[in-house]
Amino acid sequence: MALIVQKFGGTSVGSVERIEQVAAKIKKFRDNGDDIVVVVSAMSGETNRLIELARQINERPVARELDVMVSTGEQVTIALLAMALIKIGVPAISYTGSQVGILTDSSHTKARIMQIDAQNVRKDLKAGRVVVVAGFQGIDEAGNITTLGRGGSDTTGVALAAALKADECQIYTDVDGVYTTDPRVVPKAQRLEKVTFEEMLEMASLGSKVLQIRAVEFAGKYGVPLRVLHSFKEGPGTLITLDEEDSMEKPIISGIAFNRDEAKLTIRGVPDTPGVAFRILGPISSANVEVDMIVQNVAHDNTTDFTFTVHRNDYQNALHVLEHIAQEMGAREVVGDVDIAKVSIVGVGMRSHAGVASRMFEALAKENINIQMISTSEIKVSVVIEEKYLELAVRALHTAFDLDAPAGTAE
Ligand code: ADP
Ligand code: ASP
Ligand code: MG
């Protein structure tokens, strides 16, 4: 008998029929003798609908009130799923994040889980109930409702699994595992049998939205066995694992991630003196804008150009701050570009193989795709390109690194 935490995403609970299908699936596990805690997302599209409603009042709604509202999406699905379970004879009880003691910090819309007091859950499990918990939400010390950021139900699932010392956390979604890249963009993408936490963390932070970054972080930190599976199709899914077995067949690159959420800003003709980076990025950071990639050009005539990327949502804000800095520093001009995308190759195999980056650049050159920025780490190489070439770039890299499924096997 195992204790399993199962998380079902928005599409999997997107209609009453699907919720009933999920209930039937949970019943099967129960009939097998397993204890089940279920975490659910809001019905697909609901969180977006709620955010849109708030924006009709204010383009930048007060974060505390936004959390009060968007957390209602999950409250609907927990109740529906509990009702569906009870209807088929499975004793079940639903809880919101606060009822189940998910304590977070107070950063509304992107709160972090600090502690879970899973006493209620344990009692209910003992009494033979399936416990259904609302994903994506918690409560801070002052009693305010908080949410965990988009995709945050994954993190609720993993955090509950860690708190309960569950045997496995299963993330059920609309794909049958983690693929070499988003299968919606590259139909020849292949499901990975296993992927290391380190690789999954890079893929998530570089744009693969199949798992929220914090869920992967949490699972790695607390050693939660984590698996991504299809909600309605049988299969082994993908195991996120700690071991990095160096089998000869292990590919150099495990996956390709991409991100359309960034924008690029350049300040031209700034004096090339010590402290320039700080004078530019200090005020950007004070404006609460996070910077991702940074490039400073070689100086020419004692002046230099400085380029960096930010989240697209922060673009206007960053542009405004940068224009102010440019005036102060006597810089020549500020230019911005939102039509960019970041493409990254990820793999622990890179550590033991040289020439991975040049193979990437060669594949992009063959397609005539210009690289605007580059950044590397031990297990990834990222490039910024024009957004319109994104899909072409991902497909070209997928082929260049031998990741394409053999003909006839792609789903
Ligand atoms: P859920 O609502 O179940 O949380 P998400 O939409 O958040 O589902 O995540 C699943 C989606 O992630 C898939 O439909 C797929 O398009 C996308 N995705 C992006 N990168 C990958 C990848 N490498 N492997 C699998 N799916 C991916
Ligand atoms: N409903 C939330 C969202 O859409 C949380 C989740 O689905 O994980 O981001
Ligand atoms: Mg998700």
Side-chain angles (χ1 to χ4, degrees):
M1 197 178 94
L3 169 57
I4 307 173
V5 176
Q6 304 185 324
K7 177 257 169 178
F8 290 88
T11 325
S12 316
V13 294
S15 66
V16 167
E17 292 72 32
R18 291 221 170 129
I19 289 176
E20 292 193 314
Q21 265 178 282
V22 167
K25 185 180 182 95
I26 294 167
K27 184 176 189 305
K28 269 197 203 158
F29 278 89
R30 276 260 317 177
D31 291 348
N32 248 344
D34 294 330
D35 278 340
I36 308 290
V37 174
V38 194
V39 172
V40 281
S41 294
M43 294 167 92
S44 57
E46 180 62 6
T47 309
N48 286 345
R49 186 185 75 85
L50 292 168
I51 293 173
E52 183 43 42
L53 268 182
R55 286 212 175 124
Q56 287 178 29
I57 303 265
N58 188 335
E59 198 32 56
R60 286 176 170 250
V62 182
R64 183 190 180 280
E65 303 312 323
L66 190 60
D67 277 352
V68 171
M69 190 171 65
V70 295
S71 61
T72 62
E74 273 72 11
Q75 191 166 338
V76 171
T77 41
I78 53 169
L80 287 172
L81 181 57
M83 289 173 200
L85 284 163
I86 291 164
K87 183 168 128 182
I88 55 173
V90 178
I93 184 162
S94 71
Y95 289 118
T96 63
S98 70
Q99 285 176 320
V100 79
I102 299 183
L103 184 72
T104 72
D105 63 16
S106 302
S107 325
H108 286 290
T109 75
K110 46 176 186 283
R112 277 180 182 272
I113 297 179
M114 324 265 284
Q115 200 186 309
I116 298 186
D117 160 33
Q119 260 195 34
N120 279 353
V121 179
R122 285 201 191 89
K123 255 189 242 156
D124 286 309
L125 287 174
K126 241 191 197 148
R129 296 187 190 103
V130 167
V131 182
V132 186
V133 179
F136 179 54
Q137 54 178 262
I139 189 170
D140 72 2
E141 261 167 353
N144 298 299
I145 295 173
T146 55
T147 64
L148 310 178
R150 299 308 303 269
S153 300
D154 296 338
T155 305
T156 307
V158 173
L160 266 171
L164 293 165
K165 301 199 171 52
D167 295 291
E168 188 163 278
C169 180
Q170 303 175 338
I171 305 286
Y172 287 98
T173 182
D174 55 4
V175 275
D176 64 349
V178 177
Y179 275 64
T180 45
T181 191
D182 190 338
R184 287 180 213 288
V185 172
V186 180
K188 284 183 189 159
Q190 300 189 69
R191 182 177 57 83
L192 298 165
E193 208 58 49
K194 280 182 179 181
V195 61
T196 67
F197 279 108
E198 206 182 358
E199 288 169 321
M200 195 61 237
L201 202 58
E202 283 286 0
M203 279 172 69
S205 70
L206 294 168
S208 300
K209 289 178 180 140
V210 60
L211 282 176
Q212 201 199 30
I213 307 168
R214 283 184 191 163
V216 187
E217 269 173 11
F218 232 99
K221 190 165 163 195
Y222 294 98
V224 178
L226 185 62
R227 199 181 280 278
V228 176
L229 300 134
H230 196 289
S231 296
F232 306 118
K233 283 187 214 157
E234 291 298 319
T238 299
L239 182 69
I240 324 293
T241 139
L242 273 174
D243 63 306
E244 203 180 287
E245 15 120 66
D246 46 343
S247 108
M248 294 296 285
E249 288 132 65
K250 181 132 182 88
I252 302 169
I253 298 304
S254 295
I256 300 172
F258 53 86
N259 184 350
R260 302 173 200 265
D261 294 339
E262 291 194 23
K264 189 177 78 167
L265 294 130
T266 301
I267 178 165
R268 291 222 172 99
V270 289
D272 184 36
T273 50
V276 173
F278 177 64
R279 280 183 69 190
I280 296 170
L281 296 180
I284 295 284
S285 142
S286 305
N288 243 332
V289 173
E290 243 177 78
V291 169
D292 181 24
M293 286 162 96
I294 305 170
V295 172
Q296 183 178 341
N297 288 4
V298 173
H300 184 71
D301 296 334
N302 293 324
T303 68
T304 186
D305 301 341
F306 197 92
T307 304
F308 57 93
T309 63
V310 299
H311 195 284
R312 238 178 244 191
N313 291 347
D314 290 327
Y315 174 69
Q316 284 303 336
N317 195 0
L319 188 64
H320 184 76
V321 175
L322 201 58
E323 272 164 355
H324 193 78
I325 300 169
Q327 244 182 9
E328 260 180 30
M329 294 178 79
R332 199 161 57 242
E333 65 174 338
V334 168
V335 283
D337 187 355
V338 292
D339 299 319
I340 59 152
K342 184 167 77 175
V343 184
S344 310
I345 53 174
V346 176
V348 289
M350 254 186 239
R351 285 202 185 107
S352 47
H353 285 82
V356 176
S358 66
R359 194 156 147 200
M360 179 185 200
F361 305 152
E362 185 188 8
L364 296 173
K366 269 195 194 144
E367 298 295 341
N368 250 324
I369 299 171
N370 187 39
I371 300 172
Q372 303 179 5
M373 297 173 89
I374 301 169
S375 96
T376 63
S377 80
E378 229 193 339
I379 65 159
K380 72 118 205 273
V381 182
S382 301
V383 297
V384 167
I385 60 170
E386 221 181 308
E387 187 179 4
K388 69 176 180 201
Y389 297 123
L390 176 63
E391 299 194 353
L392 175 62
V394 176
R395 281 199 298 269
L397 291 171
H398 202 266
T399 305
F401 284 99
D402 301 324
L403 296 174
D404 291 351
T409 61
E411 279 185 44

